[in-house]
Amino acid sequence: MNKFIVSSSPFIHGKQDVNKMFLYTALSLVVPAVFGITFFGFSALFIVLISVLACFVSESLYNFMHKKTFKVDNFSFFVTGMVLALTMPIGTPIYVVAISGFVSIFIVKMAFGGLGRNYFNPALAGRCLAGIICPAIASELAKVTIAGEEYISIAAGGTNTLQQLVLGQGVGGIGTTCIFIILVCFVFLSYTKIIDYKIPIISILSYFVVAIILSGLNSAMINMFSGSFIFISVFMLTDPNTSPDTFIGKFIYAFAFGALSALVWNMGKLGENSLFAVALFVNLLVPYLDRFLIWRPINLGGYRNAYKN
């Protein structure tokens, strides 16, 4: 008697291993974390630990309540906790970090079905919530004194040279300040095919073009490197669960984030929070980009939209 195995989609799987993907991403996040902790000090380490712990406890609690097995081997809770923590500036209240971690995992990730079924990037949603709870994060808490030298964020009227911004000598999220390290991580993740390199490149180019039109070349470079834009483009926008599947969809998705980020950053007053809000907005577009831009064959001679029956 023949037996048939019945299972839910997807039926076609790629060669990429999920555990390997999260492991490489986790290793990449450790690099900017180490720099941030070295630069900002013990308080930065405390925020990272609280964020990762909150994500771990939240996922454990959800699985316990629903009698599910908690799989720690894919490092997904660690990646979410690290990404969330690295976008927080030092001085962020600990309760804000803990609440954001809980919402990221328990609600945004697990309540919608768990890994691979969430509609938003969990860390991105948690960071947006943190900006609502603590509006001071919008200006990166304005200033910080490190080794006797005071740094003032660009959003709060501070001035930094391009070299300082690239090397991470400024105010910002714990892991978002050193652009050089983030770009090194981008090259590594692209080379190992963990992320799609086209999304960050399109995002950066679109930001650059719009920012030049709005404020000129020098201001465009300073603004692009002074906030979390590069970090979001590399570590958040490329999440395979919440990014489009087609090239056209990815182009629209990345272009929209870059162009809108430049527009909001130059004309708005929300500071860093505006970038995360824009990223969450383009996340909302992904289901529609996949719905209307994926084509399937109908016969030997043509194709039709997957949405149309």
Side-chain angles (χ1 to χ4, degrees):
M1 180 178 179
N2 294 328
K3 294 183 178 180
F4 295 93
I5 298 175
V6 179
S7 63
S8 61
S9 61
F11 304 112
I12 301 175
H13 301 270
K15 297 180 180 180
Q16 189 64 268
D17 181 75
V18 174
N19 293 348
K20 177 183 175 182
M21 180 183 70
F22 279 108
L23 175 60
Y24 280 17
T25 304
L27 292 175
S28 298
L29 289 166
V30 168
V31 181
V34 170
F35 174 85
I37 293 168
T38 303
F39 186 70
F40 292 110
F42 178 77
S43 58
L45 174 61
F46 194 53
I47 289 175
V48 171
L49 292 177
I50 292 298
S51 179
V52 173
L53 180 62
C55 290
F56 173 77
V57 171
S58 300
E59 190 158 343
S60 301
L61 178 61
Y62 186 93
N63 285 311
F64 175 77
M65 291 173 60
H66 292 80
K67 298 180 180 180
K68 294 182 177 181
T69 303
F70 182 17
K71 297 181 179 180
V72 298
D73 56 344
N74 59 31
F75 298 95
S76 62
F77 78 89
F78 180 81
V79 169
T80 299
M82 287 291 288
V83 171
L84 180 61
L86 295 183
T87 60
M88 302 279 192
I90 61 169
T92 303
I94 294 303
Y95 75 91
V96 174
V97 179
I99 292 174
S100 300
F102 173 80
V103 171
S104 296
I105 296 294
F106 197 92
I107 298 177
V108 180
K109 176 186 175 182
M110 301 305 295
F112 285 95
L115 183 63
R117 296 180 177 86
N118 41 282
Y119 289 93
F120 309 107
N121 180 294
L124 180 59
R127 180 55 178 80
C128 287
L129 176 66
I132 295 173
I133 298 175
C134 183
I137 298 177
S139 60
E140 301 166 331
L141 298 177
K143 62 181 66 178
V144 64
T145 301
I146 302 170
E149 184 174 356
E150 185 177 70
Y151 296 90
I152 302 175
S153 69
I154 298 294
T159 57
N160 295 93
T161 65
L162 193 59
Q163 180 180 356
Q164 285 178 317
L165 295 173
V166 171
L167 297 179
Q169 297 174 317
V171 182
I174 294 169
T176 66
T177 58
C178 189
I179 304 302
F180 175 75
I181 288 178
I182 296 172
L183 292 178
V184 170
C185 293
F186 164 66
V187 172
F188 169 73
L189 292 173
S190 298
Y191 177 77
T192 54
K193 298 183 179 180
I194 302 300
I195 65 173
D196 188 339
Y197 69 91
K198 295 185 289 293
I199 292 177
I201 289 177
I202 294 170
S203 172
I204 291 171
L205 289 177
S206 62
Y207 183 103
F208 190 60
V209 170
V210 175
I212 288 178
I213 295 173
L214 293 175
S215 58
L217 177 61
N218 186 59
S219 293
M221 295 291 290
I222 294 293
N223 290 340
M224 185 166 62
F225 291 154
S226 63
S228 299
F229 173 76
I230 302 295
F231 184 89
I232 296 172
S233 296
V234 173
F235 287 108
M236 290 180 153
L237 221 61
T238 55
D239 179 2
N241 294 325
T242 56
S243 58
D245 294 323
T246 66
F247 173 76
I248 297 177
K250 290 176 182 179
F251 181 86
I252 296 173
Y253 170 74
F255 180 86
F257 174 68
L260 290 175
S261 294
L263 183 65
V264 172
W265 180 259
N266 281 273
M267 302 180 67
K269 297 182 179 180
L270 295 177
E272 282 289 86
N273 286 347
S274 63
L275 299 181
F276 295 100
V278 169
L280 193 65
F281 169 73
V282 296
N283 252 187
L284 284 169
L285 300 178
V286 172
Y288 299 99
L289 293 174
D290 284 341
R291 191 177 190 182
F292 293 104
L293 295 177
I294 293 180
W295 298 80
R296 65 185 182 191
I298 52 176
N299 50 44
L300 294 177
Y303 290 81
R304 67 179 176 187
N305 192 290
Y307 172 63
K308 297 178 181 178
N309 295 319

